[in-house]
Amino acid sequence: MRKTVIAGNWKMNKVMSEAKGFMDEVVKKAPNSNKVEMIVCPPYPFLSTLIKQTEGSNVKVAAQNMHFEENGAFTGEVSPLMLKDLGVTHVILGHSERREYFAETDETVNKKTHAAFNHGLIPIVCVGETLEQREANETMNHVEGQVKEALKGLSEQQIAETIIAYEPIWAIGTGKTASSEEANEVCTHIRNVVKKVTSEEIAEKVIIQYGGSVKPANIDELLSQSDIDGALVGGASLEADSFLQLVEAGT
Ligand code: PEP
């Protein structure tokens, strides 16, 4: 039985007082259920403070990106070693905004998935097609390529622990959600790709999230699908109330 994993990606939002207020409320009201895992992904400057706030709770804190090297002359970058040292548990890799605006490629995502595991971090690997690719019937091929490249060279155990987030780019921040059937179709394909590169046993363990305008009004339907094990949420994760409603749906 796979857990439901709800991750809130704040992107570049909030100042420290807002971040702390959010975490106070979430830690206080988070359901005590072992069916659902809650992950908050704030910008780097808030990581340390928020991690301290989560001590003794079941709320996890993730980074939104990282470099693949441990240290060195990479001005402005943050390394997996630094994240692990702070108490970060997960890291989002290959978000479409990183791919689009910061030249992230399948190759760098793969280097980062290896770096994450080498430092005891769980990667949340984002994949997804553009509207043009969807309209040209390229979704399945494109997503399959992204998944295979991201997982290349990982051990079966590492693949089993990887979280894959299917995020159609046309549904991110647009208010357009893929229908739950459309989303599930691609998530099922992703599970089959994992099965092809490992085994059915491993594929059945992998957590596959959907992301793209997920909100309290559509989370139940998405989570009712056979291959959707959670959500990576942007906009609707910014308010504690709405994040908690999403988490509640997974209990
Ligand atoms: C995201 O940032 O990964 C995302 C899915 O954003 P939103 O929920 O706002 O569409």
Side-chain angles (χ1 to χ4, degrees):
M1 201 45 197
R2 294 183 295 269
K3 268 193 175 180
T4 299
V5 181
I6 306 291
N9 173 17
W10 289 2
K11 313 194 186 191
M12 195 174 71
N13 288 295
K14 295 192 190 292
V15 293
M16 184 66 97
S17 56
E18 295 168 332
K20 279 159 84 174
F22 174 106
M23 195 54 99
D24 268 346
E25 199 174 333
V26 166
V27 165
K28 222 181 289 161
K29 299 183 182 163
N32 193 7
S33 158
N34 52 12
K35 278 207 230 142
V36 69
E37 188 155 291
M38 284 158 278
I39 309 173
V40 177
C41 318
Y44 293 134
F46 311 143
L47 286 171
S48 180
T49 303
L50 266 52
I51 287 166
K52 285 195 190 94
Q53 286 180 272
T54 60
E55 272 167 21
S57 82
N58 53 357
V59 183
K60 308 254 167 67
V61 179
Q64 297 174 15
N65 178 41
M66 66 175 194
H67 198 276
F68 46 81
E69 294 289 351
E70 234 176 48
N71 47 46
F74 301 103
T75 303
E77 291 293 311
V78 169
S79 86
L81 185 66
M82 296 169 191
L83 296 178
K84 184 65 187 173
D85 186 50
L86 287 180
V88 166
T89 55
H90 296 70
V91 58
I92 300 175
L93 298 178
H95 190 281
S96 63
E97 288 150 17
R98 299 294 317 169
R99 293 179 192 257
E100 185 177 354
Y101 307 129
F102 302 98
E104 191 83 85
T105 62
D106 285 341
E107 198 187 335
T108 55
V109 172
N110 180 249
K111 285 184 177 170
K112 291 178 181 191
T113 55
H114 282 269
F117 281 117
N118 289 340
H119 291 86
L121 298 165
I122 303 287
I124 302 175
V125 175
C126 302
V127 298
E129 81 287 1
T130 61
L131 188 57
E132 295 71 49
Q133 288 168 323
R134 174 156 284 263
E135 285 170 350
N137 280 326
E138 288 167 5
T139 299
M140 299 302 189
N141 267 348
H142 177 71
V143 166
E144 177 162 350
Q146 286 182 315
V147 170
K148 283 182 173 163
E149 288 304 310
L151 303 180
K152 208 185 248 174
L154 294 180
S155 69
E156 293 210 341
Q157 182 57 34
Q158 289 169 336
I159 293 177
E161 288 173 19
T162 302
I163 298 176
I164 301 175
Y166 166 56
E167 300 206 305
I169 296 170
W170 49 271
I172 298 180
T174 57
K176 286 184 201 156
T177 324
S179 72
S180 45
E181 292 77 19
E182 272 173 332
N184 194 52
E185 209 185 355
V186 183
C187 292
T188 302
H189 182 61
I190 291 172
R191 201 173 301 287
N192 284 331
V193 172
V194 175
K195 183 172 154 188
K196 254 194 264 174
V197 299
T198 57
S199 64
E200 182 154 13
E201 196 194 333
I202 300 291
E204 283 307 313
K205 289 186 179 159
V206 172
I207 301 285
I208 303 176
Q209 297 176 311
Y210 168 77
S213 300
V214 174
K215 43 189 181 286
N218 58 24
I219 185 82
D220 287 338
E221 209 191 318
L222 288 161
L223 292 183
S224 71
Q225 298 294 313
S226 58
D227 283 300
I228 300 180
D229 310 316
L232 179 56
V233 188
S237 75
L238 287 170
E239 297 303 325
D241 254 12
S242 139
F243 181 67
L244 285 162
Q245 283 180 55
L246 296 170
V247 169
E248 204 61 52
T251 61

